[in-house]
Amino acid sequence: MVRDKDRTRARLFEVATELLGEQGFGSTTVDEIAVRAGVAKGTVYYHFGSKAELVTALIAEGLEPLAERMRAAVDGSSTAREALEALTYAELAFIQEHCAFTKLVVTELWREDRAWRDALELVRERIVTIIRQQLERGVEGGELRPDIDPQFAARALFVLTATAALDWLAFEPGRPINEVVGQIRRLTAMAVVQTV
Amino acid sequence: MVRDKDRTRARLFEVATELLGEQGFGSTTVDEIAVRAGVAKGTVYYHFGSKAELVTALIAEGLEPLAERMRAAVDGSSTAREALEALTYAELAFIQEHCAFTKLVVTELWREDRAWRDALELVRERIVTIIRQQLERGVEGGELRPDIDPQFAARALFVLTATAALDWLAFEPGRPINEVVGQIRRLTAMAVVQTV
Amino acid sequence: MVRDKDRTRARLFEVATELLGEQGFGSTTVDEIAVRAGVAKGTVYYHFGSKAELVTALIAEGLEPLAERMRAAVDGSSTAREALEALTYAELAFIQEHCAFTKLVVTELWREDRAWRDALELVRERIVTIIRQQLERGVEGGELRPDIDPQFAARALFVLTATAALDWLAFEPGRPINEVVGQIRRLTAMAVVQTV
Amino acid sequence: MVRDKDRTRARLFEVATELLGEQGFGSTTVDEIAVRAGVAKGTVYYHFGSKAELVTALIAEGLEPLAERMRAAVDGSSTAREALEALTYAELAFIQEHCAFTKLVVTELWREDRAWRDALELVRERIVTIIRQQLERGVEGGELRPDIDPQFAARALFVLTATAALDWLAFEPGRPINEVVGQIRRLTAMAVVQTV
DNA sequence: AATGAATGAGAATTCATTCAT
DNA sequence: CATGAATGAATTCTCATTCAT
């Protein structure tokens, strides 16, 4: 039945995300994925064609939920600054829940030869656009200084948050998420004091 | 001659950095490194013992120059904010010159299962400390707001700059370095306008 | 309906002949056959039981029409030499229409380790017998020199014609069939000139 | 040492020819080849890169000795007809000694998609040229009838002899080679009687 | 009568590493 | 110092076949 097929695929996704996130692409074998998913090795190939395609699908589909959360975060905010803080929160929360997956993504983000480079770039741009729109809104509304480059800043904020989140989870996993959000807010407004 | 040995070693370093940065650890073969360096495969083993040791040495020795430059940047600055800007500049300049190497480092930064984990962590902390000291100085001297966490911010600034640099080199390599420094300064002082 | 079943079977035959002829047994997958025939893979097994049985059936049934045409060619001829020429024509015409199938057959003709070995040998002998009978008639009637070995010559003529046909279709497909028949006739009478 | 490498390569060639000839491409594993050659599987890849390349090399280099023998046969003959008979003899003798190899070649001769198709076509044309030149000499010298197409006839003679040889070795291996040469000569002069 | 998801044994291929020279 | 032929364990990938629907 179609439902069975979908379920198997979903299970493989779940398991592959775990393993690839923990160990990276090179150290994870298709065998491991199959065993942990409780299916035969051939089944992985039946569903994804190759290990590389599995990862491509993983990245493309695994990042989509983050994009959705971020869209939702924007919808629930009135000002640009509020939206940006909500975006930071959404990203941090997502990464907290999918830490291993994020490691995988960050690890592959600047790779040049991978087949899944393009898939990643695509979703990434979708997410960066969401951030950029808020930055533009903030600049237009006078909430943010006009001399920032929204595209550059959006990319930087996205990765800043992601990598800060990874450091957070690696070094101080006990720290409450809101404190981290606060730190990032302050970091991006670091010079406030001296401008008063 | 000793010189020959050193030269071979240096050549292997150079080539390995390129390849590992472009393709990652798992996708780069010792064969490739040897071929591109113009030596026999055995020579790689003669010099480094194993692929993992090669990478370990690479990271440890390759990151040290960055630490040195950053120390120099601090020495040449009077205020903390000047020092932080000089540090950003130093990091960007280094990455511009060693783009592939940076990709390798960023890629390995959150991987726990690697032989060179400790070596990487060591140099990283050395560099982060340099940044943190300036942040602390800034806070103490009233140049920076007191509610930032210097350790967290130092780590975040280091990686923010690194990843922003990679995006810069990937998407807008023609952009002058000073503009990028400026963008990062503004990004970390984004809220200035509304505080006036 | 029976008609449906037959039609599916016939379609599988057609498609399998094409693919097996082009790529050989080892390089043709049951998947490919099913896809090109527009049926599910299970259907191939429903109809033929296994890949090997499919090929066995293919060879046995696919070669039978050639045997029939050759019998008909003999029936329409008065002299042995006329019959031999008609046989050549019949074989060439058949191959022209079933080029891929012929490649498959020729390819398997000297392989000993195949499941369909016997089936192939059987039809082959049937065809060779038809040719041999005409050679014997020719020898007995004084039309042909008495020192040829009819069995050897019959086998050789059969394969000679088949392989010449494949070369013809591969290198000079535009050449009219009658010219090829003529060339083969002359080839098997090459010494004529000097005996005059 | 280079000699060692060459020896290993030669041994692999020998063994691969045997196995591929007996079992065909699809049924012969690289493992088998390695085991029978007494080397590790990796060694096969070290020398040939892939199974397909091994076969390509095999065909290209394995057929060369036949070409050489045929050139020698021509050199030792005065008339065209004598040369043609010597060529038949040379081909038969070669095949008798390399029966399995010939099966491999014939089996692959009309395959379309193989990488080694070209390699085979190349050597084949070299051999066919040797035959064609004698046919042309025979036609020009009036030894042979002028209305044969030398290229067509050369190709046909080459394959006729090869396939006749395979039938000979399969069905009547005890028959002396000279008798087979005679049969082929008579087959290609079959019409002699009636022209008298 | 047909389907197609799942299987798993088997093959091809890769590559870090060794070692004799 | 350097080499590069050889290794073989580990991995990816293939595909004929099965079976529940």
Side-chain angles (χ1 to χ4, degrees), chain D residues 5 8 40 43 46-47:
Chain D
K5 189 178 184 181
T8 303
T43 305
Y46 180 74
H47 280 276

mmCIF file of all heavy atoms in Angstrom, chain D residues 5 8 40 43 46-47, chain F residues 4-8 10:
data_model
loop_
_atom_site.group_PDB
_atom_site.id
_atom_site.type_symbol
_atom_site.label_atom_id
_atom_site.label_comp_id
_atom_site.label_asym_id
_atom_site.label_seq_id
_atom_site.Cartn_x
_atom_site.Cartn_y
_atom_site.Cartn_z
ATOM 1 N N LYS D 5 55.594 -5.674 -11.754
ATOM 2 C CA LYS D 5 54.305 -5.119 -12.151
ATOM 3 C C LYS D 5 53.843 -5.738 -13.466
ATOM 4 O O LYS D 5 52.699 -6.143 -13.610
ATOM 5 C CB LYS D 5 54.426 -3.601 -12.296
ATOM 6 C CG LYS D 5 53.076 -2.955 -12.503
ATOM 7 C CD LYS D 5 53.172 -1.453 -12.597
ATOM 8 C CE LYS D 5 51.763 -0.875 -12.699
ATOM 9 N NZ LYS D 5 51.756 0.582 -12.825
ATOM 10 N N THR D 8 52.700 -9.303 -12.990
ATOM 11 C CA THR D 8 51.365 -9.379 -12.398
ATOM 12 C C THR D 8 50.293 -9.079 -13.449
ATOM 13 O O THR D 8 49.290 -9.770 -13.559
ATOM 14 C CB THR D 8 51.240 -8.355 -11.253
ATOM 15 O OG1 THR D 8 52.259 -8.600 -10.300
ATOM 16 C CG2 THR D 8 49.901 -8.479 -10.584
ATOM 17 N N ALA D 40 45.355 -10.122 -4.673
ATOM 18 C CA ALA D 40 44.184 -9.573 -3.993
ATOM 19 C C ALA D 40 43.281 -8.874 -5.017
ATOM 20 O O ALA D 40 43.746 -8.453 -6.080
ATOM 21 C CB ALA D 40 44.601 -8.596 -2.927
ATOM 22 N N THR D 43 44.252 -5.581 -6.416
ATOM 23 C CA THR D 43 45.315 -5.571 -7.423
ATOM 24 C C THR D 43 44.748 -5.483 -8.837
ATOM 25 O O THR D 43 45.323 -4.824 -9.705
ATOM 26 C CB THR D 43 46.185 -6.835 -7.273
ATOM 27 O OG1 THR D 43 46.644 -6.892 -5.926
ATOM 28 C CG2 THR D 43 47.360 -6.795 -8.210
ATOM 29 N N TYR D 46 43.980 -1.996 -9.226
ATOM 30 C CA TYR D 46 45.209 -1.219 -9.338
ATOM 31 C C TYR D 46 45.727 -1.250 -10.766
ATOM 32 O O TYR D 46 46.202 -0.259 -11.307
ATOM 33 C CB TYR D 46 46.267 -1.760 -8.374
ATOM 34 C CG TYR D 46 47.551 -1.005 -8.436
ATOM 35 C CD1 TYR D 46 47.649 0.259 -7.886
ATOM 36 C CD2 TYR D 46 48.653 -1.530 -9.088
ATOM 37 C CE1 TYR D 46 48.829 0.981 -7.959
ATOM 38 C CE2 TYR D 46 49.830 -0.816 -9.167
ATOM 39 C CZ TYR D 46 49.909 0.436 -8.604
ATOM 40 O OH TYR D 46 51.082 1.150 -8.685
ATOM 41 N N HIS D 47 45.590 -2.392 -11.405
ATOM 42 C CA HIS D 47 46.150 -2.522 -12.751
ATOM 43 C C HIS D 47 45.218 -2.071 -13.856
ATOM 44 O O HIS D 47 45.659 -1.562 -14.878
ATOM 45 C CB HIS D 47 46.566 -3.973 -12.997
ATOM 46 C CG HIS D 47 47.872 -4.332 -12.385
ATOM 47 N ND1 HIS D 47 49.065 -4.088 -13.002
ATOM 48 C CD2 HIS D 47 48.182 -4.874 -11.188
ATOM 49 C CE1 HIS D 47 50.054 -4.487 -12.234
ATOM 50 N NE2 HIS D 47 49.545 -4.972 -11.115
ATOM 51 P P DG F 4 56.928 6.370 -7.958
ATOM 52 O OP1 DG F 4 57.663 6.698 -9.182
ATOM 53 O OP2 DG F 4 55.981 7.333 -7.367
ATOM 54 O "O5'" DG F 4 56.174 4.990 -8.155
ATOM 55 C "C5'" DG F 4 56.893 3.760 -8.036
ATOM 56 C "C4'" DG F 4 55.937 2.642 -7.635
ATOM 57 O "O4'" DG F 4 55.962 2.501 -6.191
ATOM 58 C "C3'" DG F 4 54.459 2.913 -7.968
ATOM 59 O "O3'" DG F 4 53.801 1.668 -8.175
ATOM 60 C "C2'" DG F 4 53.930 3.518 -6.685
ATOM 61 C "C1'" DG F 4 54.637 2.619 -5.697
ATOM 62 N N9 DG F 4 54.688 3.116 -4.345
ATOM 63 C C8 DG F 4 54.419 4.377 -3.900
ATOM 64 N N7 DG F 4 54.537 4.512 -2.605
ATOM 65 C C5 DG F 4 54.924 3.247 -2.171
ATOM 66 C C6 DG F 4 55.196 2.770 -0.873
ATOM 67 O O6 DG F 4 55.176 3.393 0.192
ATOM 68 N N1 DG F 4 55.557 1.422 -0.882
ATOM 69 C C2 DG F 4 55.630 0.642 -2.002
ATOM 70 N N2 DG F 4 55.976 -0.612 -1.837
ATOM 71 N N3 DG F 4 55.369 1.078 -3.225
ATOM 72 C C4 DG F 4 55.022 2.386 -3.228
ATOM 73 P P DA F 5 53.646 1.121 -9.607
ATOM 74 O OP1 DA F 5 54.858 1.350 -10.407
ATOM 75 O OP2 DA F 5 52.345 1.624 -10.074
ATOM 76 O "O5'" DA F 5 53.517 -0.440 -9.289
ATOM 77 C "C5'" DA F 5 54.695 -1.185 -8.995
ATOM 78 C "C4'" DA F 5 54.377 -2.315 -8.026
ATOM 79 O "O4'" DA F 5 54.230 -1.783 -6.681
ATOM 80 C "C3'" DA F 5 53.102 -3.084 -8.330
ATOM 81 O "O3'" DA F 5 53.363 -4.452 -8.074
ATOM 82 C "C2'" DA F 5 52.084 -2.505 -7.344
ATOM 83 C "C1'" DA F 5 52.950 -2.130 -6.152
ATOM 84 N N9 DA F 5 52.507 -0.959 -5.370
ATOM 85 C C8 DA F 5 52.093 0.243 -5.858
ATOM 86 N N7 DA F 5 51.784 1.117 -4.923
ATOM 87 C C5 DA F 5 52.011 0.434 -3.744
ATOM 88 C C6 DA F 5 51.873 0.804 -2.395
ATOM 89 N N6 DA F 5 51.459 2.009 -1.996
ATOM 90 N N1 DA F 5 52.181 -0.113 -1.450
ATOM 91 C C2 DA F 5 52.608 -1.319 -1.854
ATOM 92 N N3 DA F 5 52.780 -1.784 -3.096
ATOM 93 C C4 DA F 5 52.456 -0.849 -4.002
ATOM 94 P P DA F 6 52.207 -5.512 -8.342
ATOM 95 O OP1 DA F 6 52.896 -6.761 -8.647
ATOM 96 O OP2 DA F 6 51.214 -4.937 -9.277
ATOM 97 O "O5'" DA F 6 51.532 -5.660 -6.917
ATOM 98 C "C5'" DA F 6 52.338 -6.172 -5.847
ATOM 99 C "C4'" DA F 6 51.544 -6.184 -4.576
ATOM 100 O "O4'" DA F 6 51.348 -4.827 -4.129
ATOM 101 C "C3'" DA F 6 50.151 -6.810 -4.695
ATOM 102 O "O3'" DA F 6 50.076 -7.897 -3.792
ATOM 103 C "C2'" DA F 6 49.197 -5.688 -4.323
ATOM 104 C "C1'" DA F 6 50.073 -4.730 -3.524
ATOM 105 N N9 DA F 6 49.651 -3.326 -3.598
ATOM 106 C C8 DA F 6 49.417 -2.576 -4.718
ATOM 107 N N7 DA F 6 49.044 -1.346 -4.472
ATOM 108 C C5 DA F 6 49.032 -1.274 -3.085
ATOM 109 C C6 DA F 6 48.721 -0.233 -2.192
ATOM 110 N N6 DA F 6 48.340 0.986 -2.575
ATOM 111 N N1 DA F 6 48.809 -0.495 -0.867
ATOM 112 C C2 DA F 6 49.179 -1.712 -0.487
ATOM 113 N N3 DA F 6 49.504 -2.779 -1.228
ATOM 114 C C4 DA F 6 49.408 -2.488 -2.535
ATOM 115 P P DT F 7 48.771 -8.728 -3.687
ATOM 116 O OP1 DT F 7 49.192 -10.092 -3.346
ATOM 117 O OP2 DT F 7 47.926 -8.471 -4.861
ATOM 118 O "O5'" DT F 7 48.064 -8.104 -2.411
ATOM 119 C "C5'" DT F 7 48.840 -7.952 -1.227
ATOM 120 C "C4'" DT F 7 48.035 -7.262 -0.165
ATOM 121 O "O4'" DT F 7 47.862 -5.869 -0.512
ATOM 122 C "C3'" DT F 7 46.619 -7.822 0.009
ATOM 123 O "O3'" DT F 7 46.492 -8.289 1.326
ATOM 124 C "C2'" DT F 7 45.694 -6.637 -0.270
ATOM 125 C "C1'" DT F 7 46.596 -5.445 -0.055
ATOM 126 N N1 DT F 7 46.243 -4.226 -0.826
ATOM 127 C C2 DT F 7 45.926 -3.078 -0.153
ATOM 128 O O2 DT F 7 45.911 -3.016 1.065
ATOM 129 N N3 DT F 7 45.635 -1.999 -0.942
ATOM 130 C C4 DT F 7 45.629 -1.965 -2.321
ATOM 131 O O4 DT F 7 45.359 -0.929 -2.917
ATOM 132 C C5 DT F 7 45.963 -3.199 -2.977
ATOM 133 C C7 DT F 7 45.978 -3.263 -4.465
ATOM 134 C C6 DT F 7 46.246 -4.261 -2.203
ATOM 135 P P DG F 8 45.819 -9.656 1.604
ATOM 136 O OP1 DG F 8 46.630 -10.380 2.593
ATOM 137 O OP2 DG F 8 45.461 -10.288 0.316
ATOM 138 O "O5'" DG F 8 44.488 -9.155 2.301
ATOM 139 C "C5'" DG F 8 44.566 -8.198 3.350
ATOM 140 C "C4'" DG F 8 43.218 -7.529 3.523
ATOM 141 O "O4'" DG F 8 43.122 -6.419 2.596
ATOM 142 C "C3'" DG F 8 42.012 -8.435 3.192
ATOM 143 O "O3'" DG F 8 40.924 -8.049 4.019
ATOM 144 C "C2'" DG F 8 41.682 -8.057 1.762
ATOM 145 C "C1'" DG F 8 41.927 -6.572 1.836
ATOM 146 N N9 DG F 8 42.129 -5.923 0.565
ATOM 147 C C8 DG F 8 42.336 -6.503 -0.659
ATOM 148 N N7 DG F 8 42.462 -5.644 -1.626
ATOM 149 C C5 DG F 8 42.330 -4.409 -0.998
ATOM 150 C C6 DG F 8 42.373 -3.112 -1.521
ATOM 151 O O6 DG F 8 42.555 -2.756 -2.697
ATOM 152 N N1 DG F 8 42.187 -2.143 -0.540
ATOM 153 C C2 DG F 8 41.983 -2.402 0.787
ATOM 154 N N2 DG F 8 41.819 -1.364 1.586
ATOM 155 N N3 DG F 8 41.949 -3.623 1.296
ATOM 156 C C4 DG F 8 42.121 -4.569 0.344
ATOM 157 P P DA F 10 36.572 -4.540 8.365
ATOM 158 O OP1 DA F 10 36.715 -4.074 9.757
ATOM 159 O OP2 DA F 10 35.838 -5.784 8.040
ATOM 160 O "O5'" DA F 10 35.929 -3.358 7.524
ATOM 161 C "C5'" DA F 10 36.752 -2.261 7.153
ATOM 162 C "C4'" DA F 10 35.995 -1.373 6.200
ATOM 163 O "O4'" DA F 10 36.129 -1.877 4.844
ATOM 164 C "C3'" DA F 10 34.482 -1.309 6.466
ATOM 165 O "O3'" DA F 10 34.082 0.024 6.224
ATOM 166 C "C2'" DA F 10 33.908 -2.277 5.425
ATOM 167 C "C1'" DA F 10 34.852 -2.011 4.257
ATOM 168 N N9 DA F 10 34.931 -3.088 3.265
ATOM 169 C C8 DA F 10 34.887 -4.440 3.473
ATOM 170 N N7 DA F 10 34.981 -5.146 2.370
ATOM 171 C C5 DA F 10 35.095 -4.194 1.366
ATOM 172 C C6 DA F 10 35.235 -4.286 -0.030
ATOM 173 N N6 DA F 10 35.273 -5.438 -0.687
ATOM 174 N N1 DA F 10 35.303 -3.136 -0.728
ATOM 175 C C2 DA F 10 35.246 -1.974 -0.066
ATOM 176 N N3 DA F 10 35.136 -1.751 1.245
ATOM 177 C C4 DA F 10 35.062 -2.923 1.912
#
